[in-house]
């Protein structure tokens, strides 16, 4: 289940890289599509329910996503005027959501499909009849898709499709909505059923959306559902996956995971990459991963290789060895050595974690060794957004290399 969060996550200082422990573990996955001959698939993410996630354009500019679901249109049906709730990003009533038009086009110019997600856990929505569903389809076509209207919430941007994240109000007439949208032509359809099979709102089952065979993408929510999420082990996930992929006709299926570690059913990244994905990605229907919420997604997982993260730019992120002890990271970059070159004495800036001039950074030595004893590679990162650094010559570069070797690498100065 998805929700409109009240919690905002602090951003880091100048580096724009995430602290490891002050934020929930938020990550994205770049998949190796083993067994899929054309390597089709990728990463889907929901955007719109936390202002801390940044702009839509910035989310797409990371080049980490193939699909972005704008969440949510959560008021519709039964004579209601359909309405967006983008949790502070913009206000449809005052017309400020039209500013997303340029962002949507920027995403699409990068080859990213941008969808509008209907529903969510909070809202006032249901469909009362076939006519109600048809009217909603016409509204979506004219306001967000390829139709025309004098008042389009996202301006002149044309979305790629509609996502069904129906979590209340029953299952009736969403099959009619899907059929009505398909009649317009090139409209992508996606659905986000919870992993309990069949999903109470989406099916499959008689007269349900997922029984229409019209959906391009199905991102199954493997969280917040005891019995089919990770709390029941990998076998529970695989059982649900097999039920959906065999019982639903759709082009691609995605493993839906939350980014936040405190979400019930959260799957540790090492388990996801070493156990869950290998158990499902041999299917020709495997499409990739869906991530709930894009907030902070700058740590990257490459399946089979692990997570790399930066540490050192937030004094509230905890100690280095604590980050390694989570078991979530294969590589940790200590950030930053941001003064060097042109005759300067090289200097660290670890943003309050320690003070090199006072000699307190030697206390990190034990943390480094503990990380390495866990198999975590520990690197020193040079540069960053702020600092005083450049190299003036080949000799300057060689002197810096000697300094790094003697002070941080294989030889003690």
């Amino acid at each position: 289940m998805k929700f409109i969060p009240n919690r905002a996550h602090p951003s880091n200082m100048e580096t724009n890289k995430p602290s490891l422990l002050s934020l929930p573990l938020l990550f994205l996955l770049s998949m190796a599509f083993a067994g899929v001959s054309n390597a089709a698939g990728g990463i889907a993410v929901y955007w719109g329910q936390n202002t801390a996630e940044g702009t839509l354009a910035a989310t797409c500019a990371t080049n980490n996503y193939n699909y972005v679901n704008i969440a949510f249109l959560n008021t519709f049906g039964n004579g209601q005027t359909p309405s967006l709730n983008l949790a502070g990003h913009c206000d449809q009533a005052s017309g400020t959501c039209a500013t997303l038009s340029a962002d949507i086009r920027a995403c699409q110019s990068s080859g990213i499909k941008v969808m509008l997600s209907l529903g969510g856990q909070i809202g006032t929505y249901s469909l009362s009849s076939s006519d109600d569903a048809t009217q909603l389809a016409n509204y979506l076509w004219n306001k967000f898709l390829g139709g025309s209207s004098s008042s389009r919430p996202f301006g002149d941007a044309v979305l790629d499709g509609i996502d069904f994240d129906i979590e209340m109000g029953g299952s009736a007439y969403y099959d009619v909505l899907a059929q009505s949208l398909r009649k317009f032509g090139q409209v992508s359809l996606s659905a986000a059923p919870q992993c309990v099979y069949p999903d109470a709102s989406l099916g499959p089952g008689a007269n349900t959306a997922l029984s229409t065979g019209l959906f391009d993408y199905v991102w199954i929510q493997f969280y917040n559902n005891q019995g089919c999420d990770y709390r029941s082990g990998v076998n529970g996930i695989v059982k649900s996956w097999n039920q959906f992929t065999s019982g639903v006709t759709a082009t691609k299926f995605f493993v839906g995971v939350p980014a936040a570690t405190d979400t019930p059913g959260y799957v540790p990244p090492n388990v996801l990459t070493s156990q869950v994905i290998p158990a499902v990605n041999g299917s020709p229907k495997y499409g990739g991963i869906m991530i709930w919420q894009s907030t902070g997604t700058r740590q990257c997982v490459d399946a089979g290789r692990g997570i790399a993260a930066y540490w050192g730019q937030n004094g509230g992120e905890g100690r280095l060895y604590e980050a390694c002890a989570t078991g979530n990271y294969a590589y940790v970059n200590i950030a930053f050595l941001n003064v060097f070159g042109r005759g300067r004495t090289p200097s660290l800036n670890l943003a309050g974690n320690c003070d090199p001039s006072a000699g307190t950074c030697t206390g990190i030595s034990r943390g480094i060794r503990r990380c390495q004893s866990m198999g975590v590679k520990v690197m020193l990162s040079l540069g960053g957004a702020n600092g005083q650094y450049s190299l003036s010559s080949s000799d300057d570069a060689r002197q810096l290399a000697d300094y790094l070797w003697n002070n941080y690498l294989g030889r003690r100065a």
Side-chain angles (χ1 to χ4, degrees):
M1 299 170 71
K2 305 182 187 72
F3 57 92
I4 299 174
N6 294 318
R7 179 176 57 197
H9 302 298
S11 59
N12 281 347
M13 43 187 306
E14 71 264 7
T15 64
N16 286 329
K17 292 186 173 68
S19 66
L20 300 182
L21 300 180
S22 62
L23 295 177
L25 177 61
L26 298 171
F27 59 89
L28 24 127
L29 299 155
S30 177
M31 304 316 305
F33 294 94
V36 183
S37 61
N38 61 358
I43 303 173
V45 71
Y46 281 80
W47 177 92
Q49 287 301 298
N50 192 324
T51 53
E53 66 202 337
T55 66
L56 177 61
T59 297
C60 292
T62 64
N63 294 319
N64 292 317
Y65 308 110
N66 303 89
Y67 316 90
V68 174
N69 297 309
I70 298 177
F72 292 106
L73 185 89
N74 68 345
T75 298
F76 59 81
N78 287 287
Q80 301 176 101
T81 300
S83 178
L84 295 165
N85 181 335
L86 298 187
H89 283 287
C90 64
D91 176 25
Q92 180 180 349
S94 62
T96 57
C97 292
T99 59
L100 291 177
S101 180
D103 288 27
I104 292 167
R105 290 195 300 271
C107 293
Q108 292 169 328
S109 69
S110 299
I112 298 168
K113 284 186 177 292
V114 184
M115 319 274 282
L116 175 63
S117 186
L118 311 182
Q121 189 181 8
I122 296 174
T124 307
Y125 61 87
S126 65
L127 296 173
S128 59
S129 66
S130 294
D131 284 344
D132 203 11
T134 302
Q135 289 173 18
L136 178 60
N138 291 335
Y139 175 91
L140 295 171
W141 174 253
N142 289 317
K143 297 288 187 178
F144 297 100
L145 299 168
S148 61
S149 172
S150 59
S151 59
R152 290 173 61 93
F154 295 151
D156 59 1
V158 177
L159 297 180
D160 294 289
I162 300 296
D163 175 60
F164 289 48
D165 183 17
I166 307 304
E167 303 192 22
M168 63 172 66
S171 62
Y173 305 110
Y174 288 102
D175 57 334
V176 179
L177 177 61
Q179 292 161 354
S180 298
L181 287 168
R182 272 295 194 215
K183 289 179 181 178
F184 291 116
Q186 296 300 314
V187 176
S188 294
L189 296 179
S190 63
Q194 297 178 58
C195 59
V196 177
Y197 184 89
D199 180 81
S201 299
L202 293 167
N207 301 316
T208 60
L210 287 179
S211 292
T212 62
L214 297 175
F215 284 81
D216 301 287
Y217 317 111
V218 176
W219 6 87
I220 307 166
Q221 299 182 46
F222 289 106
Y223 47 96
N224 285 332
N225 285 282
Q226 183 86 44
C228 56
D229 63 26
Y230 184 58
R231 287 171 292 177
S232 298
V234 174
N235 288 340
I237 295 174
V238 173
K239 178 181 178 181
S240 173
W241 172 270
N242 289 337
Q243 288 175 319
F244 274 99
T245 55
S246 62
V248 174
T249 299
T251 306
K252 292 294 180 182
F253 292 80
F254 292 67
V255 177
V257 295
T261 59
D262 58 355
T263 302
Y266 171 80
V267 185
N270 59 328
V271 174
L272 188 63
T273 58
S274 66
Q275 298 181 45
V276 177
I277 293 169
V280 300
N281 71 354
S283 167
K285 296 181 179 181
Y286 175 71
I289 297 294
M290 178 273 281
I291 301 173
W292 167 240
Q293 289 201 325
S294 68
T295 316
T297 51
R298 292 186 181 151
Q299 302 170 104
C300 295
V301 176
D302 187 327
R305 289 189 286 178
I307 303 174
Y310 283 76
W311 177 91
Q313 286 301 299
N314 189 325
E317 64 201 336
R319 289 174 287 185
L320 176 62
Y321 83 85
E322 292 174 328
C324 294
T326 64
N328 292 322
Y329 308 107
Y331 314 90
V332 172
N333 297 307
I334 298 176
F336 290 104
L337 186 89
N338 69 343
V339 175
F340 58 81
R342 297 183 178 273
R344 305 181 185 100
T345 299
S347 178
L348 293 166
N349 181 339
L350 297 187
N353 283 289
C354 66
D355 179 10
S357 64
T360 57
C361 292
T362 57
I364 296 179
S365 177
R366 185 182 178 191
I368 293 170
R369 290 195 298 271
R370 290 180 70 174
C371 290
Q372 292 168 329
S373 71
M374 301 172 198
V376 179
K377 286 189 178 291
V378 183
M379 319 277 283
L380 176 64
S381 184
L382 311 182
N386 289 337
Q388 293 179 312
Y389 59 88
S390 63
L391 296 172
S392 59
S393 65
S394 297
D395 284 343
D396 204 8
R398 283 190 287 269
Q399 289 172 17
L400 178 60
D402 289 341
Y403 174 89
L404 294 170
W405 175 252
N406 291 320
N407 284 275
Y408 295 99
L409 299 169
R411 178 181 173 183
R412 295 183 180 180

